[in-house]
Amino acid sequence: GQNIDQPTEMTATEGAIVQINCTYQTSGFNGLFWYQQHAGEAPTFLSYNVLDGLEEKGRFSSFLSRSKGYSYLLLKELQMKDSASYLCAVRDDRDDKIIFGKGTRLHILP
Amino acid sequence: ETGVTQSPTHLIKTRGQQVTLRCSSQSGHNTVSWYQQALGQGPQFIFQYYREEENGRGNFPPRFSGLQFPNYSSELNVNALELDDSALYLCASSSGGLGDEQYFGPGTRLTVT
């Protein structure tokens, strides 16, 4: 089976750091994506991990542990515009299908 | 701007009708994927087309069908609409490489009454 779990909602303060976790159980694995989706808009690509470790891109970093079926997205120096849903998605290596989690709604407080 | 366009933006249909949604992929992209996103949920994979052939399908019934054209634009057709088909339908294009990021279109909001 295929299952991706992430928290439904999180709240953090402007300027702070927040970590959004994602665990997955999939039949096949060929990479994990993080997307950002503002309300009423299309998802936009943030990061891709296929090997274990940390990928850093500006204020955003993404970590992957394949043996644990675990990833996190780290957002630093939070800004109000970071209020959005963050989607974790896994690519299945059997058919290249990308499976999305339900998303984590992040609320940023001033 | 991602370059992926979808039409129409919004659509209202009644139960039992048929609908066709359209997507123009970003220039240079030969792979198109379609997703259904219900309110408060993540996108659910419907199917993917690569060079005019379906090469992956999610858990959707056969009344969901698609096409990809030589210019790599794509259509999603849904027959015998049901109330639960009400959702945002997203199209995403990519160049087909592993890890290649998908560029999403703005989506079509379908309401079935």
Side-chain angles (χ1 to χ4, degrees), chain A residues 4-10 18-22 33-38 43-46 59-60 73-75 78-89 100-108, chain B residues 37 42-43:
Chain A
I4 298 176
D5 287 315
Q6 47 182 134
T8 304
E9 285 190 88
M10 298 182 70
V18 71
Q19 178 174 312
I20 303 174
N21 296 324
C22 171
F33 297 82
W34 283 96
Y35 284 84
Q36 180 191 61
Q37 187 175 26
H38 285 99
T44 55
F45 172 85
L46 290 178
R59 294 190 298 116
F60 294 1
L73 179 69
L74 191 72
L75 293 76
L78 285 169
Q79 302 175 9
M80 298 303 293
K81 67 178 182 179
D82 297 330
S83 292
S85 284
Y86 290 85
L87 301 163
C88 173
F100 280 83
K102 293 183 178 181
T104 298
R105 282 193 303 280
L106 177 64
H107 306 278
I108 308 298
Chain B
Q37 186 175 25

mmCIF file of all heavy atoms in Angstrom, chain A residues 4-10 18-22 33-38 43-46 59-60 73-75 78-89 100-108, chain B residues 37 42-43:
data_model
loop_
_atom_site.group_PDB
_atom_site.id
_atom_site.type_symbol
_atom_site.label_atom_id
_atom_site.label_comp_id
_atom_site.label_asym_id
_atom_site.label_seq_id
_atom_site.Cartn_x
_atom_site.Cartn_y
_atom_site.Cartn_z
ATOM 1 N N ILE A 4 1.087 8.410 2.992
ATOM 2 C CA ILE A 4 1.959 9.530 3.337
ATOM 3 C C ILE A 4 1.290 10.305 4.453
ATOM 4 O O ILE A 4 0.133 10.704 4.318
ATOM 5 C CB ILE A 4 2.207 10.437 2.114
ATOM 6 C CG1 ILE A 4 2.916 9.649 1.019
ATOM 7 C CG2 ILE A 4 3.014 11.656 2.510
ATOM 8 C CD1 ILE A 4 3.117 10.415 -0.266
ATOM 9 N N ASP A 5 2.000 10.495 5.551
ATOM 10 C CA ASP A 5 1.449 11.183 6.722
ATOM 11 C C ASP A 5 2.208 12.466 7.011
ATOM 12 O O ASP A 5 3.444 12.478 7.027
ATOM 13 C CB ASP A 5 1.521 10.283 7.966
ATOM 14 C CG ASP A 5 0.501 9.160 7.900
ATOM 15 O OD1 ASP A 5 -0.663 9.445 7.547
ATOM 16 O OD2 ASP A 5 0.870 8.016 8.193
ATOM 17 N N GLN A 6 1.476 13.518 7.255
ATOM 18 C CA GLN A 6 2.048 14.779 7.692
ATOM 19 C C GLN A 6 1.013 15.454 8.577
ATOM 20 O O GLN A 6 -0.185 15.185 8.451
ATOM 21 C CB GLN A 6 2.468 15.653 6.500
ATOM 22 C CG GLN A 6 1.452 15.790 5.380
ATOM 23 C CD GLN A 6 1.973 16.633 4.224
ATOM 24 O OE1 GLN A 6 1.853 16.283 3.063
ATOM 25 N NE2 GLN A 6 2.543 17.788 4.537
ATOM 26 N N PRO A 7 1.468 16.329 9.489
ATOM 27 C CA PRO A 7 0.503 16.984 10.386
ATOM 28 C C PRO A 7 -0.481 17.827 9.595
ATOM 29 O O PRO A 7 -0.146 18.391 8.546
ATOM 30 C CB PRO A 7 1.387 17.845 11.295
ATOM 31 C CG PRO A 7 2.688 17.960 10.596
ATOM 32 C CD PRO A 7 2.849 16.739 9.762
ATOM 33 N N THR A 8 -1.688 17.929 10.114
ATOM 34 C CA THR A 8 -2.734 18.674 9.411
ATOM 35 C C THR A 8 -2.477 20.170 9.458
ATOM 36 O O THR A 8 -2.609 20.869 8.455
ATOM 37 C CB THR A 8 -4.096 18.367 10.024
ATOM 38 O OG1 THR A 8 -4.314 16.949 9.989
ATOM 39 C CG2 THR A 8 -5.210 19.063 9.266
ATOM 40 N N GLU A 9 -2.119 20.650 10.639
ATOM 41 C CA GLU A 9 -1.898 22.084 10.804
ATOM 42 C C GLU A 9 -0.744 22.365 11.754
ATOM 43 O O GLU A 9 -0.475 21.567 12.658
ATOM 44 C CB GLU A 9 -3.159 22.766 11.390
ATOM 45 C CG GLU A 9 -4.287 22.927 10.418
ATOM 46 C CD GLU A 9 -5.399 23.802 10.972
ATOM 47 O OE1 GLU A 9 -5.338 25.027 10.812
ATOM 48 O OE2 GLU A 9 -6.329 23.233 11.576
ATOM 49 N N MET A 10 -0.072 23.483 11.537
ATOM 50 C CA MET A 10 0.974 23.939 12.440
ATOM 51 C C MET A 10 0.907 25.463 12.519
ATOM 52 O O MET A 10 0.467 26.118 11.557
ATOM 53 C CB MET A 10 2.372 23.506 11.958
ATOM 54 C CG MET A 10 2.564 22.000 11.889
ATOM 55 S SD MET A 10 4.224 21.523 11.385
ATOM 56 C CE MET A 10 5.170 21.989 12.822
ATOM 57 N N VAL A 18 10.490 26.584 11.683
ATOM 58 C CA VAL A 18 9.500 25.525 11.836
ATOM 59 C C VAL A 18 9.928 24.315 11.019
ATOM 60 O O VAL A 18 10.539 24.456 9.957
ATOM 61 C CB VAL A 18 8.093 26.002 11.417
ATOM 62 C CG1 VAL A 18 7.992 26.183 9.911
ATOM 63 C CG2 VAL A 18 7.022 25.034 11.884
ATOM 64 N N GLN A 19 9.649 23.137 11.559
ATOM 65 C CA GLN A 19 9.971 21.883 10.869
ATOM 66 C C GLN A 19 8.684 21.113 10.606
ATOM 67 O O GLN A 19 7.930 20.826 11.554
ATOM 68 C CB GLN A 19 10.909 21.039 11.728
ATOM 69 C CG GLN A 19 11.262 19.684 11.125
ATOM 70 C CD GLN A 19 12.308 18.937 11.941
ATOM 71 O OE1 GLN A 19 13.340 19.487 12.319
ATOM 72 N NE2 GLN A 19 12.053 17.662 12.215
ATOM 73 N N ILE A 20 8.431 20.788 9.363
ATOM 74 C CA ILE A 20 7.241 20.029 8.988
ATOM 75 C C ILE A 20 7.691 18.618 8.623
ATOM 76 O O ILE A 20 8.490 18.430 7.705
ATOM 77 C CB ILE A 20 6.511 20.673 7.795
ATOM 78 C CG1 ILE A 20 6.133 22.126 8.118
ATOM 79 C CG2 ILE A 20 5.268 19.871 7.441
ATOM 80 C CD1 ILE A 20 5.544 22.891 6.954
ATOM 81 N N ASN A 21 7.172 17.646 9.348
ATOM 82 C CA ASN A 21 7.581 16.257 9.148
ATOM 83 C C ASN A 21 6.671 15.518 8.184
ATOM 84 O O ASN A 21 5.493 15.837 8.051
ATOM 85 C CB ASN A 21 7.596 15.518 10.487
ATOM 86 C CG ASN A 21 8.628 16.083 11.446
ATOM 87 O OD1 ASN A 21 9.717 16.494 11.040
ATOM 88 N ND2 ASN A 21 8.290 16.126 12.728
ATOM 89 N N CYS A 22 7.231 14.517 7.549
ATOM 90 C CA CYS A 22 6.480 13.673 6.620
ATOM 91 C C CYS A 22 7.011 12.253 6.731
ATOM 92 O O CYS A 22 8.227 12.033 6.657
ATOM 93 C CB CYS A 22 6.648 14.190 5.191
ATOM 94 S SG CYS A 22 6.000 13.103 3.901
ATOM 95 N N PHE A 33 9.274 14.851 -2.918
ATOM 96 C CA PHE A 33 9.127 16.259 -3.276
ATOM 97 C C PHE A 33 8.422 17.005 -2.149
ATOM 98 O O PHE A 33 7.589 16.447 -1.440
ATOM 99 C CB PHE A 33 8.251 16.406 -4.532
ATOM 100 C CG PHE A 33 8.803 15.773 -5.773
ATOM 101 C CD1 PHE A 33 8.652 14.411 -6.004
ATOM 102 C CD2 PHE A 33 9.451 16.535 -6.728
ATOM 103 C CE1 PHE A 33 9.144 13.823 -7.161
ATOM 104 C CE2 PHE A 33 9.943 15.956 -7.890
ATOM 105 C CZ PHE A 33 9.786 14.602 -8.105
ATOM 106 N N TRP A 34 8.731 18.287 -2.036
ATOM 107 C CA TRP A 34 7.944 19.204 -1.219
ATOM 108 C C TRP A 34 7.418 20.318 -2.127
ATOM 109 O O TRP A 34 8.169 20.876 -2.946
ATOM 110 C CB TRP A 34 8.782 19.813 -0.098
ATOM 111 C CG TRP A 34 9.017 18.887 1.058
ATOM 112 C CD1 TRP A 34 10.102 18.091 1.278
ATOM 113 C CD2 TRP A 34 8.141 18.679 2.175
ATOM 114 N NE1 TRP A 34 9.957 17.392 2.449
ATOM 115 C CE2 TRP A 34 8.762 17.737 3.023
ATOM 116 C CE3 TRP A 34 6.897 19.187 2.542
ATOM 117 C CZ2 TRP A 34 8.179 17.296 4.215
ATOM 118 C CZ3 TRP A 34 6.318 18.751 3.729
ATOM 119 C CH2 TRP A 34 6.953 17.820 4.555
ATOM 120 N N TYR A 35 6.131 20.625 -1.952
ATOM 121 C CA TYR A 35 5.493 21.695 -2.690
ATOM 122 C C TYR A 35 4.846 22.663 -1.699
ATOM 123 O O TYR A 35 4.401 22.283 -0.619
ATOM 124 C CB TYR A 35 4.401 21.153 -3.613
ATOM 125 C CG TYR A 35 4.907 20.480 -4.864
ATOM 126 C CD1 TYR A 35 5.292 19.154 -4.851
ATOM 127 C CD2 TYR A 35 4.981 21.187 -6.060
ATOM 128 C CE1 TYR A 35 5.749 18.534 -6.004
ATOM 129 C CE2 TYR A 35 5.439 20.577 -7.221
ATOM 130 C CZ TYR A 35 5.825 19.252 -7.182
ATOM 131 O OH TYR A 35 6.272 18.642 -8.330
ATOM 132 N N GLN A 36 4.751 23.919 -2.119
ATOM 133 C CA GLN A 36 4.023 24.933 -1.356
ATOM 134 C C GLN A 36 2.760 25.286 -2.135
ATOM 135 O O GLN A 36 2.807 25.417 -3.368
ATOM 136 C CB GLN A 36 4.890 26.194 -1.197
ATOM 137 C CG GLN A 36 4.228 27.318 -0.421
ATOM 138 C CD GLN A 36 5.022 28.623 -0.534
ATOM 139 O OE1 GLN A 36 5.217 29.164 -1.619
ATOM 140 N NE2 GLN A 36 5.497 29.124 0.608
ATOM 141 N N GLN A 37 1.654 25.403 -1.427
ATOM 142 C CA GLN A 37 0.404 25.772 -2.089
ATOM 143 C C GLN A 37 -0.323 26.833 -1.275
ATOM 144 O O GLN A 37 -0.813 26.560 -0.174
ATOM 145 C CB GLN A 37 -0.497 24.557 -2.299
ATOM 146 C CG GLN A 37 -1.735 24.859 -3.127
ATOM 147 C CD GLN A 37 -2.569 23.631 -3.429
ATOM 148 O OE1 GLN A 37 -2.549 22.650 -2.688
ATOM 149 N NE2 GLN A 37 -3.296 23.651 -4.546
ATOM 150 N N HIS A 38 -0.419 28.046 -1.832
ATOM 151 C CA HIS A 38 -1.211 29.089 -1.205
ATOM 152 C C HIS A 38 -2.672 28.852 -1.545
ATOM 153 O O HIS A 38 -2.989 28.259 -2.589
ATOM 154 C CB HIS A 38 -0.770 30.479 -1.680
ATOM 155 C CG HIS A 38 0.526 30.935 -1.075
ATOM 156 N ND1 HIS A 38 1.729 30.846 -1.721
ATOM 157 C CD2 HIS A 38 0.789 31.484 0.143
ATOM 158 C CE1 HIS A 38 2.683 31.310 -0.940
ATOM 159 N NE2 HIS A 38 2.148 31.700 0.198
ATOM 160 N N PRO A 43 0.032 24.328 -6.673
ATOM 161 C CA PRO A 43 1.261 24.022 -5.928
ATOM 162 C C PRO A 43 2.495 24.509 -6.693
ATOM 163 O O PRO A 43 2.527 24.469 -7.923
ATOM 164 C CB PRO A 43 1.251 22.494 -5.853
ATOM 165 C CG PRO A 43 -0.157 22.080 -6.106
ATOM 166 C CD PRO A 43 -0.709 23.101 -7.034
ATOM 167 N N THR A 44 3.512 24.947 -5.945
ATOM 168 C CA THR A 44 4.779 25.320 -6.554
ATOM 169 C C THR A 44 5.890 24.491 -5.923
ATOM 170 O O THR A 44 5.889 24.235 -4.720
ATOM 171 C CB THR A 44 5.090 26.817 -6.394
ATOM 172 O OG1 THR A 44 5.040 27.156 -5.008
ATOM 173 C CG2 THR A 44 4.095 27.660 -7.150
ATOM 174 N N PHE A 45 6.830 24.078 -6.742
ATOM 175 C CA PHE A 45 7.916 23.180 -6.342
ATOM 176 C C PHE A 45 8.854 23.862 -5.348
ATOM 177 O O PHE A 45 9.260 25.008 -5.536
ATOM 178 C CB PHE A 45 8.688 22.775 -7.598
ATOM 179 C CG PHE A 45 9.949 22.002 -7.347
ATOM 180 C CD1 PHE A 45 9.920 20.638 -7.173
ATOM 181 C CD2 PHE A 45 11.184 22.652 -7.307
ATOM 182 C CE1 PHE A 45 11.090 19.915 -6.967
ATOM 183 C CE2 PHE A 45 12.353 21.946 -7.095
ATOM 184 C CZ PHE A 45 12.304 20.573 -6.934
ATOM 185 N N LEU A 46 9.211 23.134 -4.282
ATOM 186 C CA LEU A 46 10.192 23.642 -3.329
ATOM 187 C C LEU A 46 11.484 22.834 -3.365
ATOM 188 O O LEU A 46 12.566 23.397 -3.394
ATOM 189 C CB LEU A 46 9.626 23.588 -1.900
ATOM 190 C CG LEU A 46 8.498 24.555 -1.553
ATOM 191 C CD1 LEU A 46 8.030 24.320 -0.127
ATOM 192 C CD2 LEU A 46 8.942 25.997 -1.737
ATOM 193 N N ARG A 59 16.121 29.882 2.473
ATOM 194 C CA ARG A 59 15.512 29.745 3.801
ATOM 195 C C ARG A 59 14.925 28.359 4.016
ATOM 196 O O ARG A 59 14.560 28.001 5.120
ATOM 197 C CB ARG A 59 14.421 30.792 3.985
ATOM 198 C CG ARG A 59 14.905 32.234 4.014
ATOM 199 C CD ARG A 59 13.787 33.187 4.450
ATOM 200 N NE ARG A 59 12.664 33.179 3.533
ATOM 201 C CZ ARG A 59 11.436 32.768 3.846
ATOM 202 N NH1 ARG A 59 11.180 32.300 5.046
ATOM 203 N NH2 ARG A 59 10.461 32.829 2.949
ATOM 204 N N PHE A 60 14.799 27.584 2.928
ATOM 205 C CA PHE A 60 14.159 26.271 3.025
ATOM 206 C C PHE A 60 15.205 25.159 2.905
ATOM 207 O O PHE A 60 16.108 25.220 2.083
ATOM 208 C CB PHE A 60 13.117 26.100 1.913
ATOM 209 C CG PHE A 60 11.932 27.020 2.013
ATOM 210 C CD1 PHE A 60 11.811 27.950 3.023
ATOM 211 C CD2 PHE A 60 10.909 26.938 1.082
ATOM 212 C CE1 PHE A 60 10.713 28.792 3.112
ATOM 213 C CE2 PHE A 60 9.801 27.764 1.153
ATOM 214 C CZ PHE A 60 9.699 28.696 2.162
ATOM 215 N N LEU A 73 10.713 19.220 6.130
ATOM 216 C CA LEU A 73 10.954 20.511 5.484
ATOM 217 C C LEU A 73 11.194 21.515 6.595
ATOM 218 O O LEU A 73 10.389 21.636 7.516
ATOM 219 C CB LEU A 73 9.750 20.922 4.641
ATOM 220 C CG LEU A 73 9.849 22.262 3.915
ATOM 221 C CD1 LEU A 73 10.877 22.189 2.788
ATOM 222 C CD2 LEU A 73 8.472 22.669 3.356
ATOM 223 N N LEU A 74 12.317 22.212 6.522
ATOM 224 C CA LEU A 74 12.684 23.200 7.537
ATOM 225 C C LEU A 74 12.592 24.592 6.935
ATOM 226 O O LEU A 74 13.198 24.857 5.893
ATOM 227 C CB LEU A 74 14.115 22.927 8.038
ATOM 228 C CG LEU A 74 14.575 23.683 9.273
ATOM 229 C CD1 LEU A 74 13.862 23.136 10.506
ATOM 230 C CD2 LEU A 74 16.086 23.559 9.444
ATOM 231 N N LEU A 75 11.812 25.445 7.561
ATOM 232 C CA LEU A 75 11.674 26.812 7.090
ATOM 233 C C LEU A 75 12.265 27.745 8.146
ATOM 234 O O LEU A 75 11.844 27.737 9.303
ATOM 235 C CB LEU A 75 10.208 27.171 6.875
ATOM 236 C CG LEU A 75 9.436 26.470 5.759
ATOM 237 C CD1 LEU A 75 9.062 25.052 6.139
ATOM 238 C CD2 LEU A 75 8.207 27.267 5.377
ATOM 239 N N LEU A 78 10.961 32.780 9.311
ATOM 240 C CA LEU A 78 9.613 32.750 8.765
ATOM 241 C C LEU A 78 9.083 34.146 8.449
ATOM 242 O O LEU A 78 9.286 35.100 9.208
ATOM 243 C CB LEU A 78 8.666 32.052 9.733
ATOM 244 C CG LEU A 78 8.797 30.523 9.786
ATOM 245 C CD1 LEU A 78 8.000 29.983 10.967
ATOM 246 C CD2 LEU A 78 8.362 29.896 8.479
ATOM 247 N N GLN A 79 8.387 34.213 7.310
ATOM 248 C CA GLN A 79 7.744 35.454 6.893
ATOM 249 C C GLN A 79 6.244 35.194 6.768
ATOM 250 O O GLN A 79 5.808 34.046 6.597
ATOM 251 C CB GLN A 79 8.323 35.909 5.544
ATOM 252 C CG GLN A 79 9.831 36.127 5.575
ATOM 253 C CD GLN A 79 10.422 36.451 4.207
ATOM 254 O OE1 GLN A 79 9.703 36.675 3.236
ATOM 255 N NE2 GLN A 79 11.752 36.473 4.138
ATOM 256 N N MET A 80 5.471 36.274 6.843
ATOM 257 C CA MET A 80 4.015 36.116 6.774
ATOM 258 C C MET A 80 3.604 35.421 5.472
ATOM 259 O O MET A 80 2.649 34.632 5.451
ATOM 260 C CB MET A 80 3.321 37.465 6.897
ATOM 261 C CG MET A 80 3.574 38.185 8.215
ATOM 262 S SD MET A 80 3.076 37.198 9.649
ATOM 263 C CE MET A 80 1.304 37.153 9.424
ATOM 264 N N LYS A 81 4.343 35.658 4.398
ATOM 265 C CA LYS A 81 3.988 35.065 3.107
ATOM 266 C C LYS A 81 4.210 33.549 3.079
ATOM 267 O O LYS A 81 3.790 32.876 2.130
ATOM 268 C CB LYS A 81 4.811 35.700 1.988
ATOM 269 C CG LYS A 81 6.297 35.390 2.056
ATOM 270 C CD LYS A 81 7.049 36.029 0.878
ATOM 271 C CE LYS A 81 8.533 35.667 0.921
ATOM 272 N NZ LYS A 81 9.281 36.262 -0.222
ATOM 273 N N ASP A 82 4.852 33.012 4.127
ATOM 274 C CA ASP A 82 5.050 31.562 4.201
ATOM 275 C C ASP A 82 3.786 30.844 4.675
ATOM 276 O O ASP A 82 3.752 29.604 4.700
ATOM 277 C CB ASP A 82 6.216 31.227 5.136
ATOM 278 C CG ASP A 82 7.554 31.771 4.650
ATOM 279 O OD1 ASP A 82 7.727 31.889 3.416
ATOM 280 O OD2 ASP A 82 8.409 32.088 5.502
ATOM 281 N N SER A 83 2.781 31.598 5.054
ATOM 282 C CA SER A 83 1.496 30.986 5.419
ATOM 283 C C SER A 83 0.918 30.310 4.182
ATOM 284 O O SER A 83 0.593 30.972 3.194
ATOM 285 C CB SER A 83 0.517 32.045 5.924
ATOM 286 O OG SER A 83 0.928 32.578 7.155
ATOM 287 N N ALA A 84 0.816 28.994 4.235
ATOM 288 C CA ALA A 84 0.404 28.209 3.065
ATOM 289 C C ALA A 84 0.267 26.758 3.499
ATOM 290 O O ALA A 84 0.563 26.416 4.652
ATOM 291 C CB ALA A 84 1.432 28.318 1.947
ATOM 292 N N SER A 85 -0.159 25.916 2.565
ATOM 293 C CA SER A 85 -0.111 24.467 2.779
ATOM 294 C C SER A 85 1.173 23.928 2.182
ATOM 295 O O SER A 85 1.605 24.388 1.117
ATOM 296 C CB SER A 85 -1.313 23.785 2.121
ATOM 297 O OG SER A 85 -2.476 23.973 2.865
ATOM 298 N N TYR A 86 1.776 22.970 2.874
ATOM 299 C CA TYR A 86 3.008 22.360 2.396
ATOM 300 C C TYR A 86 2.734 20.873 2.143
ATOM 301 O O TYR A 86 2.294 20.146 3.036
ATOM 302 C CB TYR A 86 4.138 22.580 3.405
ATOM 303 C CG TYR A 86 4.536 24.033 3.435
ATOM 304 C CD1 TYR A 86 3.840 24.940 4.232
ATOM 305 C CD2 TYR A 86 5.541 24.519 2.607
ATOM 306 C CE1 TYR A 86 4.151 26.289 4.212
ATOM 307 C CE2 TYR A 86 5.861 25.868 2.587
ATOM 308 C CZ TYR A 86 5.158 26.750 3.381
ATOM 309 O OH TYR A 86 5.460 28.095 3.352
ATOM 310 N N LEU A 87 2.966 20.472 0.906
ATOM 311 C CA LEU A 87 2.617 19.127 0.454
ATOM 312 C C LEU A 87 3.874 18.277 0.304
ATOM 313 O O LEU A 87 4.823 18.679 -0.372
ATOM 314 C CB LEU A 87 1.906 19.190 -0.902
ATOM 315 C CG LEU A 87 0.620 20.006 -0.963
ATOM 316 C CD1 LEU A 87 0.260 20.323 -2.404
ATOM 317 C CD2 LEU A 87 -0.513 19.240 -0.295
ATOM 318 N N CYS A 88 3.854 17.116 0.918
ATOM 319 C CA CYS A 88 4.910 16.121 0.767
ATOM 320 C C CYS A 88 4.429 15.129 -0.289
ATOM 321 O O CYS A 88 3.257 14.715 -0.278
ATOM 322 C CB CYS A 88 5.115 15.430 2.123
ATOM 323 S SG CYS A 88 6.244 14.032 2.139
ATOM 324 N N ALA A 89 5.289 14.748 -1.217
ATOM 325 C CA ALA A 89 4.887 13.831 -2.291
ATOM 326 C C ALA A 89 6.023 12.863 -2.589
ATOM 327 O O ALA A 89 7.192 13.252 -2.595
ATOM 328 C CB ALA A 89 4.515 14.623 -3.547
ATOM 329 N N PHE A 100 0.724 12.265 -3.336
ATOM 330 C CA PHE A 100 0.775 13.408 -2.429
ATOM 331 C C PHE A 100 0.175 13.064 -1.075
ATOM 332 O O PHE A 100 -0.791 12.305 -0.970
ATOM 333 C CB PHE A 100 -0.018 14.579 -3.011
ATOM 334 C CG PHE A 100 0.710 15.366 -4.060
ATOM 335 C CD1 PHE A 100 0.738 14.943 -5.379
ATOM 336 C CD2 PHE A 100 1.360 16.548 -3.732
ATOM 337 C CE1 PHE A 100 1.410 15.670 -6.351
ATOM 338 C CE2 PHE A 100 2.035 17.281 -4.698
ATOM 339 C CZ PHE A 100 2.054 16.843 -6.008
ATOM 340 N N GLY A 101 0.730 13.673 -0.041
ATOM 341 C CA GLY A 101 0.088 13.675 1.257
ATOM 342 C C GLY A 101 -1.034 14.701 1.257
ATOM 343 O O GLY A 101 -1.241 15.424 0.273
ATOM 344 N N LYS A 102 -1.739 14.801 2.388
ATOM 345 C CA LYS A 102 -2.882 15.717 2.458
ATOM 346 C C LYS A 102 -2.457 17.154 2.670
ATOM 347 O O LYS A 102 -3.280 18.069 2.550
ATOM 348 C CB LYS A 102 -3.831 15.270 3.569
ATOM 349 C CG LYS A 102 -4.504 13.937 3.273
ATOM 350 C CD LYS A 102 -5.499 13.561 4.348
ATOM 351 C CE LYS A 102 -6.194 12.247 3.982
ATOM 352 N NZ LYS A 102 -7.203 11.853 5.000
ATOM 353 N N GLY A 103 -1.199 17.353 3.004
ATOM 354 C CA GLY A 103 -0.704 18.707 3.184
ATOM 355 C C GLY A 103 -0.761 19.170 4.628
ATOM 356 O O GLY A 103 -1.602 18.714 5.422
ATOM 357 N N THR A 104 0.133 20.072 4.972
ATOM 358 C CA THR A 104 0.182 20.693 6.297
ATOM 359 C C THR A 104 -0.096 22.176 6.137
ATOM 360 O O THR A 104 0.632 22.870 5.430
ATOM 361 C CB THR A 104 1.563 20.506 6.943
ATOM 362 O OG1 THR A 104 1.825 19.118 7.115
ATOM 363 C CG2 THR A 104 1.630 21.222 8.288
ATOM 364 N N ARG A 105 -1.161 22.650 6.776
ATOM 365 C CA ARG A 105 -1.472 24.081 6.715
ATOM 366 C C ARG A 105 -0.653 24.800 7.782
ATOM 367 O O ARG A 105 -0.797 24.530 8.975
ATOM 368 C CB ARG A 105 -2.963 24.322 6.938
ATOM 369 C CG ARG A 105 -3.804 24.035 5.717
ATOM 370 C CD ARG A 105 -5.214 24.582 5.873
ATOM 371 N NE ARG A 105 -5.894 24.060 7.045
ATOM 372 C CZ ARG A 105 -6.471 22.860 7.112
ATOM 373 N NH1 ARG A 105 -6.445 22.049 6.079
ATOM 374 N NH2 ARG A 105 -7.085 22.470 8.204
ATOM 375 N N LEU A 106 0.206 25.695 7.328
ATOM 376 C CA LEU A 106 1.081 26.443 8.229
ATOM 377 C C LEU A 106 0.551 27.856 8.409
ATOM 378 O O LEU A 106 0.348 28.576 7.428
ATOM 379 C CB LEU A 106 2.512 26.490 7.676
ATOM 380 C CG LEU A 106 3.525 27.300 8.479
ATOM 381 C CD1 LEU A 106 3.737 26.692 9.858
ATOM 382 C CD2 LEU A 106 4.847 27.392 7.721
ATOM 383 N N HIS A 107 0.309 28.230 9.671
ATOM 384 C CA HIS A 107 -0.160 29.570 9.996
ATOM 385 C C HIS A 107 0.987 30.331 10.644
ATOM 386 O O HIS A 107 1.604 29.842 11.594
ATOM 387 C CB HIS A 107 -1.341 29.513 10.967
ATOM 388 C CG HIS A 107 -2.466 28.649 10.488
ATOM 389 N ND1 HIS A 107 -3.411 29.105 9.586
ATOM 390 C CD2 HIS A 107 -2.797 27.364 10.767
ATOM 391 C CE1 HIS A 107 -4.280 28.128 9.341
ATOM 392 N NE2 HIS A 107 -3.920 27.058 10.041
ATOM 393 N N ILE A 108 1.268 31.527 10.133
ATOM 394 C CA ILE A 108 2.336 32.351 10.691
ATOM 395 C C ILE A 108 1.700 33.515 11.459
ATOM 396 O O ILE A 108 0.882 34.257 10.900
ATOM 397 C CB ILE A 108 3.254 32.917 9.583
ATOM 398 C CG1 ILE A 108 3.748 31.790 8.671
ATOM 399 C CG2 ILE A 108 4.429 33.679 10.213
ATOM 400 C CD1 ILE A 108 4.586 30.754 9.357
ATOM 401 N N GLN B 37 -7.973 17.501 -6.780
ATOM 402 C CA GLN B 37 -7.738 17.960 -5.417
ATOM 403 C C GLN B 37 -9.049 18.411 -4.781
ATOM 404 O O GLN B 37 -9.611 19.438 -5.172
ATOM 405 C CB GLN B 37 -6.714 19.098 -5.377
ATOM 406 C CG GLN B 37 -6.319 19.505 -3.957
ATOM 407 C CD GLN B 37 -5.213 20.539 -3.918
ATOM 408 O OE1 GLN B 37 -5.016 21.306 -4.853
ATOM 409 N NE2 GLN B 37 -4.463 20.565 -2.806
ATOM 410 N N GLY B 42 -4.726 16.759 -0.310
ATOM 411 C CA GLY B 42 -3.652 16.863 -1.271
ATOM 412 C C GLY B 42 -4.124 16.415 -2.644
ATOM 413 O O GLY B 42 -5.170 15.774 -2.777
ATOM 414 N N PRO B 43 -3.393 16.750 -3.687
ATOM 415 C CA PRO B 43 -3.763 16.308 -5.037
ATOM 416 C C PRO B 43 -3.713 14.781 -5.145
ATOM 417 O O PRO B 43 -2.800 14.152 -4.627
ATOM 418 C CB PRO B 43 -2.692 16.953 -5.917
ATOM 419 C CG PRO B 43 -2.146 18.089 -5.120
ATOM 420 C CD PRO B 43 -2.213 17.634 -3.698
#
